[in-house]
Amino acid sequence: MQRHLIVTADDFGLHETVNEAVERASRGGILTAASLMVSAPAAADAVRRARRLPNLRVGLHIVLADGLSSLPPEQIPSVADPNGRMGGDMFFRGVRYFASAPARKQIEAEIRAQFAAFARTGLPLDHVNAHKHFHLHPTILGILIDVAREFGARAMRVPNEPFWFAARSGHWVAAGGGRLLAPWLMLMRHRLRAAGIFHNDSVFGIANSGSMDEEQLLVILARLPRGVTEIYLHPATASGVAVAPSMRAYRHADELAALLSPRVREAMAALNIRRGGYSDILLNIGRSLA
């Protein structure tokens, strides 16, 4: 089995420092994709930059927690507060979306609004994922798959991080959590395959979210698994609360430096692997089967 690699920047559009980092890493680094928050404060700036970056594949970063809604808050009172803010209390939100039919209808409406907003950008839709991987929730996943198919989405991230990566950094809670989520990940892959939506085999960036520096990337590349791997980061030219209050401990600038690192570029070149976005991988797979 060949090795394919996607290197993605999440939270595209969150802040202009994020957008600047994405542009720099696409032009001069190893970044191949970005996931756009269509309702974030700097989304319009992100779209302008994406239009002038021919090698950047852009997908939709669905936000259902810790972010701003696309719909007016009065239309989705079970999802957003009166200011249009969707809080970060994902456990209680998850219970509500499972148990409440009105809440599920509001979630579906918000997801559809975010897809429609992405469509209005005119950018090709490379992939779909969810902020904080909220699409692991079976109820949200089912709704997301249905709406994604309506809008022609062909690929979605499965947050399946190898156990060894979290364990090596001492992130035992994240590593153990990954093991506990194995049944949900298996269900997720099954539902995506049944819907005809392509997905990655492995992902890196969960346990070390906010600290995916040069060392982390070199470790991953040294043990890059076969199949389709996605590495996701949160680069920016500033760090921590300068980007978002909930990201106090994030080392955004170090992650940008990793994407621009000559050592990382050399390690990647030595692997002689296929790189790009999900759409590039789908195209390559189609050619290999032709």
Side-chain angles (χ1 to χ4, degrees), residues 72-133:
E74 60 270 18
Q75 294 184 22
I76 49 171
S78 295
V79 177
D81 68 18
N83 297 314
R85 184 79 189 174
M86 297 178 286
D89 51 338
M90 293 172 61
F91 176 80
F92 295 105
R93 286 176 174 272
V95 172
R96 183 190 312 153
Y97 301 152
F98 172 78
S100 169
R104 290 195 295 274
K105 288 183 180 179
Q106 292 174 33
I107 278 288
E108 181 178 351
E110 175 61 26
I111 289 174
R112 183 170 280 106
Q114 292 186 32
F115 270 96
F118 189 97
R120 288 193 295 271
T121 69
L123 297 170
L125 179 60
D126 182 75
H127 61 271
V128 180
N129 54 50
H131 190 46
K132 298 185 180 296
H133 299 124

Side-chain angles (χ1 to χ4, degrees), residues 128-200:
V128 180
N129 54 50
H131 190 46
K132 298 185 180 296
H133 299 124
F134 211 176
H135 61 318
L136 259 174
H137 189 298
T139 301
I140 293 174
L141 177 63
I143 297 170
L144 181 56
I145 286 174
D146 289 342
V147 179
R149 293 179 70 185
E150 289 179 27
F151 282 84
R154 301 179 63 201
M156 192 178 298
R157 177 191 294 164
V158 172
N160 179 35
E161 186 168 64
F163 176 82
W164 66 262
F165 184 62
R168 70 170 291 276
S169 303
H171 293 111
W172 295 106
V173 173
R179 289 290 177 89
L180 292 173
L181 288 173
W184 280 267
L185 290 166
M186 185 179 300
L187 175 63
M188 186 179 198
R189 288 191 291 263
H190 172 75
R191 294 176 75 177
L192 290 174
R193 286 195 296 267
I197 297 177
F198 182 71
H199 63 81
N200 56 302

Side-chain angles (χ1 to χ4, degrees), residues 214-263:
E214 180 188 71
E215 177 190 359
Q216 304 293 344
L217 294 192
L218 291 173
V219 167
I220 293 167
L221 292 174
R223 296 183 59 175
L224 192 71
R226 296 195 177 278
V228 179
T229 299
E230 182 178 8
I231 303 173
Y232 76 92
L233 305 91
H234 298 86
T237 55
S239 286
V241 293
V243 178
S246 62
M247 293 179 164
R248 182 174 300 277
Y250 275 49
R251 294 159 41 207
H252 296 88
D254 288 345
E255 297 202 356
L256 171 59
L259 291 168
L260 298 171
S261 164
R263 292 182 65 202

